Amino acid sequence: MSLHGESEVLLTPAEVASLFRVDPKTVTRWAKAGKLSSIRTLGGHRRYKESEVRALLGAASEDATPDK
């Protein structure tokens, strides 16, 4: 439960990987390298904030767009 009454949408490594079209292990490596922060569930699984993933995805797509 969130303190502010709003809950952040959390994504699994597989969901993040499908957005970036990479392997889920790559997403885990990004988290270990500090490129993406992760939240651990009680079971020890990683989850990623959708807002942070979308921001990173937007930055990545801007970097991939060639300048005219």
Side-chain angles (χ1 to χ4, degrees), residues 10-13 25 27-33 36-49 52:
L10 300 177
L11 302 175
T12 65
K25 281 290 186 186
V27 177
T28 301
R29 274 188 235 111
W30 290 345
K32 286 181 180 179
L36 188 63
S37 63
S38 65
I39 297 169
R40 293 288 184 126
T41 66
L42 293 176
H45 299 278
R46 293 180 190 267
R47 296 294 180 263
Y48 304 92
K49 292 181 181 180
E52 185 179 351

Side-chain angles (χ1 to χ4, degrees), residues 43-64:
H45 299 278
R46 293 180 190 267
R47 296 294 180 263
Y48 304 92
K49 292 181 181 180
E50 183 182 32
S51 58
E52 185 179 351
V53 171
R54 297 283 180 191
L56 185 61
L57 187 60
S61 66
E62 287 175 9
D63 289 344

